[in-house]
Amino acid sequence: MFDLKKNNTTPGTELTAGLTTFFTMAYIIVVNPLILSDAGVPFQQGFTATIIATIIGTLFMAVAANYPIAVAPAMGTNVYFAYTVIQAHSGIGYSEAFSALFITGILFFILSLTRLRSMLIRIIPENLKYAITSGIGLFIAFIGLRLSGIIKAHPSNLVGLGNLHSPSVVLALAGLAITLILITLNVPGAIFIGIVLTGIIAMFTGQLSFNKGFVSLPSLPEGLVAYNPVHAISDVIQFSLYPAIFSIILVTIFDTTGTVLGVAKQAGLMQGDKLPRARRTLVADSVGTLFGAIFGTTPTSAYIESASGVAAGGRTGLTSVFVALFFAIAAFFGPMISAISGIAAITSPALVIVGALMLSNVRHIVWDDFDEAFPAFIVILTMPLTSSIATGIAFGFISYPLMKMAKGKWKAVHPLVYIFAVLFVIQLVFFPH
């Protein structure tokens, strides 16, 4: 099934690659439920749903596309879900918000079966794609610093430096330093190992205890969160969640496609500029997104951390099978992971570092042309300052065609971008976050 000989690999190599990828991205089983809990989702629900969505999406990638690429809930859309869709919409709970994610999953799956998804990727200006990822990274890093207490609210300057004598702040800074050193030394799974080592320090300093033990059977306290399309559509209409659906689809399309192509190039899977079985590859994250919404987690995406497994020799879907297996084993360690995630100082360094990695996309932005640079700049700036990914995207899509028209380059902008601009104006005026 996986053509190991054809791809010059062995089961042992694929096992090592799968283990490497797992440890590199395992932080998501701690961080994602933590972010979802801020939206009111019970930790155990988010934890188990995260693992289910990861297993389903990754196995689909393995069997249908035969690629060593793991799929899991994406950093960025989980933040958008918790801090924009839920907290910025009064009167809705996480169950109503998951209705929007369920409809998003259905639409995303349909898009992935057509050429429309690849067309959308082509028409969106490159600078805006890089700016969206970078802005999300800055927003995630800001959240990590705030949760840890390294920065805090300030009465006149909005934000300021936190109390550096606080035990939790000291722990967070120590965890950040440890993880940065591990990353600098190119240690595989540096972020996950950093969380573990910070947790050990927290235990010795009395900040962490495991009162509920270490292992238990996986459970879903809330059962299936969203599964009835009629009810989901009703929630979307009642609470005007159209902008959320649009923004999540937009962000996930860019995130997944860029990650898949990046990992495929590193693994030597590309044939010229084309990726064989590309449509099956793009369907994998949409399948994970659909099932994730049903069980209670945010949209999935291909993970750039898969590149670590490729570097370890992974070349086929068997690597992804092993990744899914390790996530299934992790499902039995819910109490331990819940205790760790309950200490923000342990997990916040991971958010800061993931944010820094995402912000690296700014190097691809064309800064020399102001009509290209400013829309990208305003996206990156407004996401953390408004605590809204959708608002940042909106400002970018409105300013880009406006500046191009002013410069007489209106023909260089695809007609759909103008349509997006009008839609975003309507969103900001009538559906503000």
Side-chain angles (χ1 to χ4, degrees):
M1 175 186 294
F2 299 112
D3 295 324
L4 299 183
K5 290 184 178 180
K6 181 180 177 181
N7 288 282
N8 297 316
T9 185
T10 65
T13 300
E14 298 289 295
L15 172 62
T16 301
L19 185 62
T20 301
T21 297
F22 169 75
F23 277 118
T24 305
M25 62 182 289
Y27 67 87
I28 196 63
I29 61 179
V30 180
V31 175
N32 194 54
L34 174 66
I35 292 174
L36 293 179
S37 65
D38 273 357
V41 181
F43 182 89
Q44 185 61 43
Q45 182 80 22
F47 170 75
T48 305
T50 295
I51 291 178
I52 291 174
T54 301
I55 291 173
I56 292 175
T58 302
L59 285 179
F60 190 94
M61 180 72 76
V63 176
N66 193 25
Y67 285 140
I69 300 174
V71 174
M75 291 296 297
T77 48
N78 53 3
V79 173
Y80 173 66
F81 175 83
Y83 299 102
T84 298
V85 179
I86 300 256
Q87 294 187 5
H89 287 79
S90 59
I92 76 168
Y94 67 85
S95 59
E96 290 82 9
F98 272 118
S99 292
L101 292 187
F102 182 57
I103 299 301
T104 298
I106 295 174
L107 294 175
F108 197 42
F109 179 74
I110 295 172
L111 274 176
S112 300
L113 295 175
T114 68
R115 294 182 179 179
L116 182 59
R117 180 174 177 181
S118 57
M119 184 187 75
L120 287 174
I121 295 167
R122 290 195 303 270
I123 68 171
I124 304 303
E126 290 293 317
N127 269 14
L128 291 185
K129 296 177 187 176
Y130 296 131
I132 290 169
T133 302
S134 301
I136 293 173
L138 194 60
F139 186 24
I140 289 173
F142 175 75
I143 291 172
L145 291 172
R146 180 177 60 81
L147 290 176
S148 66
I150 295 175
I151 62 173
K152 63 179 182 179
H154 190 279
S156 58
N157 296 329
L158 300 183
V159 293
L161 186 65
N163 180 11
L164 298 185
H165 297 284
S166 167
S168 62
V169 173
V170 173
L171 177 63
L173 290 173
L176 184 60
I178 290 170
T179 310
L180 288 173
I181 291 171
L182 292 172
I183 290 176
T184 303
L185 296 176
N186 295 317
V187 176
I191 296 178
F192 179 73
I193 295 173
I195 291 175
V196 172
L197 293 178
T198 308
I200 292 173
I201 295 174
M203 287 179 59
F204 282 110
T205 57
Q207 299 181 63
L208 173 64
S209 60
F210 298 97
N211 297 326
K212 296 182 180 180
F214 293 89
V215 296
S216 69
L217 292 176
S219 65
L220 289 164
E222 302 298 312
L224 301 182
V225 179
Y227 57 90
N228 187 329
V230 176
H231 180 72
I233 292 173
S234 175
D235 283 342
V236 169
I237 295 173
Q238 180 181 353
F239 297 101
S240 300
L241 296 173
Y242 320 107
I245 293 174
F246 180 72
S247 298
I248 290 172
I249 288 178
L250 202 62
V251 171
T252 307
I253 283 175
F254 300 152
D255 190 18
T256 298
T257 307
T259 300
V260 167
L261 293 178
V263 175
K265 286 179 181 178
Q266 178 174 340
L269 303 172
M270 302 288 288
Q271 294 181 359
D273 293 330
K274 295 183 178 180
L275 177 66
R277 306 182 299 282
R279 186 170 298 178
R280 298 181 191 177
T281 304
L282 297 177
V283 168
D285 62 298
S286 65
V287 171
T289 295
L290 181 58
F291 280 93
I294 291 173
F295 290 101
T297 191
T298 43
T300 58
S301 172
Y303 257 58
I304 193 63
E305 285 83 354
S306 303
S308 64
V310 170
R315 290 296 179 270
T316 74
L318 185 57
T319 293
S320 299
V321 171
F322 283 125
V323 173
L325 175 62
F326 293 130
F327 269 96
I329 294 172
F332 294 91
F333 292 88
M336 179 182 70
I337 293 173
S338 176
I340 292 173
S341 67
I343 310 297
I346 298 175
T347 55
S348 56
L351 293 176
V352 176
I353 290 171
V354 169
L357 295 173
M358 294 178 71
L359 188 61
S360 66
N361 282 279
V362 295
R363 71 184 186 276
H364 300 300
I365 296 174
V366 178
W367 295 106
D368 295 333
D369 297 329
F370 199 64
D371 55 316
E372 289 283 342
F374 183 81
F377 164 77
I378 202 66
V379 169
I380 297 170
L381 179 68
T382 52
M383 281 187 184
L385 292 185
T386 63
S387 296
S388 171
I389 293 171
T391 300
I393 295 174
F395 274 107
F397 271 85
I398 293 170
S399 60
Y400 187 87
L402 180 64
M403 296 186 71
K404 289 297 182 183
M405 286 191 296
K407 202 170 183 179
K409 296 181 179 180
W410 62 272
K411 290 185 178 180
V413 181
H414 195 280
L416 279 178
V417 176
Y418 289 108
I419 295 175
F420 286 160
V422 173
L423 292 175
F424 277 123
V425 169
I426 295 173
Q427 173 192 330
L428 291 177
V429 174
F430 298 103
F431 308 103
H433 294 140

